[in-house]
């Protein structure tokens, strides 16, 4: 896992819709070309590949036990991969078993174990949804009005939505990337488990793989939600452009 490479491939979300438009729009001789896919597909692809490598045996076992005849194997594979990302984090009963590790390995594996809590993408999605819910309520109230200035008020509301989502997204980006870098540093101390004894590998192997997968899943979900934020931000940017054309 190359944390620096993955982090550098993720475009950071600018603080304004104008800056966001400029980042995700390429100017060509034919006009502007929206290029969100070109910027987001690489990190999404990298996360998907690494996660699949870690969880491949588990996913294929699930598919073997519960095949879905209503969809191709490739679709079920992705469906199972996404559902697997919702698994709960390891609890205190698993941490207690770390006491059986070699004295030199125990603090390193324990620190890796503790890092799992940093990749709280489900909480991030919940917080983001709360922001969107408030926006939808305010938007619905505006839609019921028929007064001068409603159009601008709606666009300003979209601007506020973008700014709140951007701040939350960047907070999680900083949190997840810092934890990912720390995870890589701790993993390197034990050569990703290769420096552990055979006994310690049996105790810690599942934890090491799971926490790495959880870190990658958090980044994948962060980038995935970026698509929605960008699209809504682009609509708000266009709204300001239209208002400017009509002098509002």
């Amino acid at each position: 896992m190359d944390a620096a490479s993955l982090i550098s491939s993720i475009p950071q979300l600018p603080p304004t819709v104008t800056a966001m438009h400029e980042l995700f729009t390429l100017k060509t001789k034919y006009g502007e070309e929206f290029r969100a896919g070109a910027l987001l597909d690489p990190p999404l692809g990298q996360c998907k590949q690494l996660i699949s490598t870690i969880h491949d045996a588990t996913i294929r076992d699930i598919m073997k036990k519960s095949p879905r005849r209503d969809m191709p194997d490739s679709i079920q594979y992705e469906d199972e991969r996404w559902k697997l990302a919702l698994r709960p984090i390891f609890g205190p009963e698993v941490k207690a078993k770390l006491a059986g590790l070699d004295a030199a390995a125990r603090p390193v594996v324990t620190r890796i174990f503790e890092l799992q809590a940093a990749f709280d993408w489900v909480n991030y999605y919940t917080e983001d949804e709360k922001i969107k819910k408030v926006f939808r309520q305010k938007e619905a109230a505006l839609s019921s009005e028929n007064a001068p200035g409603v159009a601008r008020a709606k666009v300003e509301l979209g601007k506020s939505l973008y700014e709140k989502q951007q701040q939350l997204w960047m907070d999680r980006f900083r949190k997840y990337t810092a934890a990912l870098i720390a995870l890589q540093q701790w993993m390197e101390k034990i050569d990703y488990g290769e420096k552990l004894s055979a006994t310690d590998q049996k105790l810690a192997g599942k934890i090491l793989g799971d926490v790495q997968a959880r870190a990658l899943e958090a980044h994948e979900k962060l980038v995935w939600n970026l698509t929605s934020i960008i699209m809504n931000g682009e609509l708000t940017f266009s709204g300001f452009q239209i208002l400017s054309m009509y002098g509002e």
Side-chain angles (χ1 to χ4, degrees):
M1 179 174 63
D2 186 346
S5 175
L6 174 59
I7 293 169
S8 65
S9 73
I10 301 174
Q12 296 185 40
L13 194 58
T16 68
V17 292
T18 300
M20 181 277 300
H21 173 80
E22 292 174 351
L23 175 61
F24 290 98
T25 303
L26 179 66
K27 290 180 173 58
T28 72
K29 62 180 180 181
Y30 302 108
E32 293 185 335
E33 178 184 331
F34 198 54
R35 57 171 186 153
L39 292 178
L40 301 184
D41 286 349
L44 284 172
Q46 187 176 354
C47 287
K48 176 182 175 179
Q49 181 182 16
L50 293 171
I51 295 166
S52 296
T53 299
I54 296 171
H55 282 325
D56 186 67
T58 300
I59 295 171
R60 293 192 182 282
D61 186 54
I62 293 172
M63 292 174 65
K64 183 178 180 180
K65 292 177 179 177
S66 303
R68 294 283 301 275
R69 303 303 181 191
D70 59 332
M71 61 177 67
D73 287 349
S74 59
I75 301 300
Q76 184 184 357
Y77 189 99
E78 272 300 282
D79 185 57
E80 300 297 350
R81 186 175 74 81
W82 278 76
K83 286 190 290 187
L84 196 58
L86 291 167
R87 68 195 179 283
I89 65 174
F90 291 119
E93 69 285 353
V94 175
K95 186 176 182 179
K97 294 179 181 179
L98 300 183
L101 293 172
D102 177 82
R106 192 184 311 129
V108 177
V109 177
T110 299
R111 189 67 190 99
I112 291 170
F113 175 92
E114 292 170 345
L115 279 170
Q116 66 175 332
F119 304 108
D120 60 346
W121 71 265
V122 175
N123 290 341
Y124 160 66
Y125 269 45
T126 301
E127 292 173 41
D128 187 69
E129 185 56 39
K130 287 180 181 178
I131 293 173
K132 290 187 289 188
K133 182 178 180 180
V134 171
F135 165 78
R136 288 192 294 266
Q137 291 171 340
K138 291 182 178 180
E139 186 182 44
L142 281 174
S143 297
S144 65
E145 299 181 15
N146 186 19
V150 170
R152 173 166 288 279
K154 286 186 176 181
V155 176
E156 291 288 350
L157 186 60
K159 174 176 174 286
S160 177
L161 169 66
Y162 175 85
E163 290 171 349
K164 286 182 171 62
Q165 286 187 293
Q166 186 272 344
Q167 184 175 19
L168 177 64
W169 191 93
M170 284 301 304
D171 285 346
R172 279 312 202 282
F173 175 82
R174 286 187 283 265
K175 178 181 180 180
Y176 294 167
T177 53
L180 182 64
I181 291 171
L183 175 60
Q184 178 174 305
Q185 291 171 341
W186 285 109
M187 290 293 293
E188 287 175 347
K189 288 181 181 295
I190 53 174
D191 193 18
Y192 290 83
E194 293 300 315
K195 289 184 178 179
L196 300 180
S197 68
T199 301
D200 285 354
Q201 285 182 4
K202 289 181 180 180
L203 279 172
K206 185 176 180 180
I207 293 172
L208 301 181
D210 192 88
V211 177
Q212 286 183 84
R214 195 174 297 279
L216 294 164
E217 287 159 349
H219 285 78
E220 181 182 35
K221 299 300 186 290
L222 196 64
V223 177
W224 185 264
N225 200 44
L226 191 56
T227 305
S228 173
I229 298 173
I230 292 168
M231 295 304 293
N232 288 330
E234 188 65 16
L235 289 174
T236 297
F237 175 82
S238 298
F240 277 118
Q241 294 295 100
I242 293 171
L243 290 174
S244 178
M245 287 173 58
Y246 288 94
E248 291 192 27

